[in-house]
Amino acid sequence: MANGSNPSGDNDNQGMSGLQRWALPALLVGLLLLFLFSGPLAPQGPEVPYTRFTGLVDKGAVQHVVVRGHQVTMTFREKQPVGARGKKVRQATTRVPLFGGDKLMDRLEKANVETTVREQRQTGWWWILLLLLVPWLFLMGMQFFQWRRMGGGAGGGGGGFGGFGGGLTQSKAKRVTREDPTTTFDDVAGQDNAKREVAEVVDFLADPERFRDVGAEAPHGMLMVGPPGTGKTLMARALAGEAGVAFYHQSASEFIEMVVGVGAARVRQAFEEARKNAPAILFIDELDSIGRMRGTGLGGGHDEREQTLNQILSEMDGFSGHEEVVVVAATNRPDVLDPALQRPGRFDRRISLELPDVKARRSILELHAEALPLAADVDIDRIARGTPGFSGADLKNLANEAAIRAAREHKKHVTYAHFDDARDSIIMGSERALSITPDEHYRLAVHESGHTAAAHFLPNADALYKVSIIPRGQALGGTHQIPEEERYTMPEDYLRDRIGVILGGRCAERIFLGTVSSGADDDIKQATRIARGMVTRWGMADDIGPMDLRQDDEQPFLGQQMAQPRQFSDTTAHQVDEAVRAFLTAAEDRVMRLIQDNREAVENLVQALEEEETLDRAGVEAHLGARPAVAAAGEADA
Ligand code: ATP
């Protein structure tokens, strides 16, 4: 194992002086300017009105004129400003009107001006050709400059575009970054399954002989898969740290440059470096940026991307079986990866990193809050419960944001309120000062009370966390719920109540104000999406049955949708729409009834929210009473 730190190629690039770096573009720009301001197109002195020209002739100030067709260039003497001595000789041009040209010759003769008559200026074919070539020469120059900047031709043997790859490998190109990480599994909280799988590879790297002795082949490639911020890079570093091997790190997108062939050369160079310093981990981040399915149009059939991907594949195929280099790649889009990447011998081990559950969130928070001076009221467990959907990176950010708030207020300790405020701004954005009219303020309180009442009374809804009508980010207010338990599937009655809570704001507006508003825009969108999922994906509509009727292919981690051609009839489409509408209206009717049945309590809640602007669960229960037990409410509801 080599321990010396190998600086990245960036440093090499920095070695190039600023003067050298800009010499070529400056030269090109200079040539372009020279081209524009010289030759046939160049102006010869400022243009002056014809009458001024004749005035100067009559005064005897003009010494010499050159006549070319209608254009006249004159050399004349001009008076200097007051105080200056003598007269200055200058040049100017003017155009002779179509009429009166003959009189001009008389005038010039009379004033005794030396006159030269020349052929009208013609733009030669060579000039037009040059004009057409200049932009191309400029582009080629820039391309050449870029290539030089990346190190093309350096190292002596490269020479020209043909010898490009070879030159680059030993050149000044941006090299894969080497680290010798001290990160261990202790720095990765939760993710126990992933750790178990990674531990096998640690074993191999730490003692390859043991595996070799029994004829076991080395693992070559590992694919870390999971949503952003779940610790894929952290886990790869911990793998290197635990095994005590070098860690080479490069983002896949960094392999690619504008010039075709650079990516492949960089891949070769990265593998070469890792092999030379084996045992080592070569970590390729964002693999999907180059590893997308070839020939599908995804990623645009980009030549450079495909060549780079092919190079990765062929490097991995070239492993002899006993090499102590493990290539670890990370992606949050495993669905778009080229299947060839996951063939045996390539990235055949897949390690999934999930969003942390409440227990993992607690340990991640403990890890990142360890160094903070926490106040006695900080309840890590409560914060962990209040942050479902947060990734490890989000939780790290939460701890840091809370500390920033404490520092901003010149406090010595980070309190629970700091965490709570940081959480709200991560979820919804920072508080916004908006001038809201009293009517609008009341409508907001009504709307949020509607969501809150639905969350309180509907038996299968997630428990209420807090409600607020303080504008944050894009939202004017918000009702936050938190599941009591981690939820991995969503039962039908939960989804029905979820729609009810989402539509609750609109129901309350209708009951207390008689009209609805555009404030429910996103609510309607969300509710419709859930109802559509119930009908088209989860077979929850009796009239439709267990049939997959989705039209969008939702991407697993990013929520992106790709439109698919519809594969069912108009009649079925109509039935789907009806079933979706039925789920929505049933939920709305139910919540309308609930609010009407508890009208007085909800009215009190509206008033309290108007006054206090934010209420937690206890504050809400002070007006709506304790939340009805789920079973009892379920029976009553049925
Ligand atoms: P991306 O997909 O966006 O590249 P990633 O999955 O590679 O993200 P990391 O970059 O490894 O995520 O995580 C960012 C930071 O979040 C880490 O440096 C670490 O501080 C924190 N983090 C993430 N997961 C964990 C965890 N399980 N335990 C402790 N810290 C974590």
Side-chain angles (χ1 to χ4, degrees), residues 365-380:
L365 277 167
E366 274 163 4
L367 195 79
H368 291 292
E370 208 171 33
L372 306 182
L374 298 182
D377 72 337
V378 174
D379 179 352
I380 294 282

Side-chain angles (χ1 to χ4, degrees), residues 163-204:
F164 185 58
L168 192 85
T169 318
Q170 329 138 23
S171 74
K172 297 171 179 169
K174 186 179 188 320
R175 287 199 183 150
V176 62
T177 314
R178 177 184 168 140
E179 285 172 34
D180 295 295
T182 49
T183 312
T184 66
F185 284 153
D186 287 343
D187 299 307
V188 187
Q191 306 293 8
D192 294 336
N193 290 335
K195 273 189 209 165
R196 245 190 312 277
E197 293 194 49
V198 171
E200 283 180 24
V201 183
V202 172
D203 261 9
F204 165 78

Side-chain angles (χ1 to χ4, degrees), residues 176 248 269-282 325:
V176 62
Y248 287 91
Q269 175 245 324
F271 274 81
E272 209 173 277
E273 200 123 323
R275 274 201 189 100
K276 232 172 19 204
N277 296 293
I281 301 286
L282 174 56
V325 174

Side-chain angles (χ1 to χ4, degrees), residues 16 24 30 53 116 200 279 283 428 529 542 578 580:
M16 191 196 254
L24 189 60
F53 164 62
T116 313
E200 283 180 24
F283 180 66
M428 297 195 303
R529 219 165 129 185
D542 292 340
E578 286 306 310
V580 170

Side-chain angles (χ1 to χ4, degrees), residues 442 449 512 595 598-608 624:
Y442 177 66
S449 298
F512 292 102
I595 297 178
N598 297 278
R599 189 176 176 126
E600 204 176 315
V602 180
E603 238 170 322
N604 290 338
L605 178 68
V606 173
Q607 207 179 338
L624 299 186

Side-chain angles (χ1 to χ4, degrees), residues 40-41 120-128 131:
L41 300 183
Q120 197 160 351
R121 207 191 294 261
Q122 296 281 338
T123 310
W125 62 267
W126 57 272
W127 195 255
I128 294 172
L131 202 70

Side-chain angles (χ1 to χ4, degrees), residues 274-494:
R275 274 201 189 100
K276 232 172 19 204
N277 296 293
I281 301 286
L282 174 56
F283 180 66
I284 305 176
D285 206 356
E286 302 169 36
L287 182 66
D288 47 280
S289 66
I290 49 170
R292 285 172 178 239
M293 272 170 260
R294 288 166 296 182
T296 55
L298 276 171
H302 194 295
D303 263 3
E304 167 64 347
R305 194 181 57 81
E306 291 202 357
Q307 277 193 23
T308 310
L309 175 59
N310 289 340
Q311 190 62 37
I312 291 182
L313 297 180
S314 80
E315 290 288 342
M316 292 186 81
D317 291 344
F319 279 144
S320 66
H322 294 300
E323 254 138 337
E324 289 147 28
V325 174
V326 177
V327 189
V328 180
T331 180
N332 40 41
R333 294 295 307 275
D335 53 312
V336 299
L337 287 187
D338 195 305
L341 276 166
Q342 293 171 60
R343 257 190 239 139
R346 294 172 181 170
F347 295 102
D348 48 6
R349 283 179 183 231
R350 185 191 267 236
I351 304 209
S352 293
L353 285 103
E354 306 297 340
L355 283 174
D357 59 13
V358 66
K359 194 166 142 243
R361 288 201 299 275
R362 197 180 307 130
S363 18
I364 296 174
L365 277 167
E366 274 163 4
L367 195 79
H368 291 292
E370 208 171 33
L372 306 182
L374 298 182
D377 72 337
V378 174
D379 179 352
I380 294 282
D381 193 54
R382 190 165 163 217
I383 302 169
R385 274 185 287 113
T387 45
F390 273 48
S391 67
D394 293 333
L395 293 165
K396 179 186 181 183
N397 183 30
L398 173 70
N400 187 45
E401 284 288 322
I404 288 174
R405 279 163 173 71
R408 222 183 271 150
E409 293 171 16
H410 301 281
K411 294 273 163 56
K412 289 266 175 287
H413 292 98
V414 185
T415 64
Y416 180 79
H418 293 135
F419 275 94
D420 198 43
D421 187 47
R423 170 195 168 278
D424 286 354
S425 52
I426 290 173
I427 295 177
M428 297 195 303
S430 307
E431 280 184 19
R432 252 185 332 146
L434 273 187
S435 65
I436 293 178
T437 63
D439 283 354
E440 215 164 0
H441 198 246
Y442 177 66
R443 190 178 279 276
L444 273 176
V446 167
H447 186 95
E448 292 310 324
S449 298
H451 289 306
T452 305
H456 182 85
F457 291 117
L458 287 171
N460 304 296
D462 286 328
L464 190 85
Y465 180 74
K466 77 166 162 186
V467 51
S468 167
I469 54 167
I470 298 174
R472 273 181 183 276
Q474 294 301 306
L476 293 174
T479 303
H480 299 250
Q481 297 163 269
I482 286 170
E484 297 284 354
E485 306 269 322
E486 215 67 35
R487 215 177 265 291
Y488 299 102
T489 56
M490 292 178 290
E492 190 181 331
D493 41 13
Y494 169 78

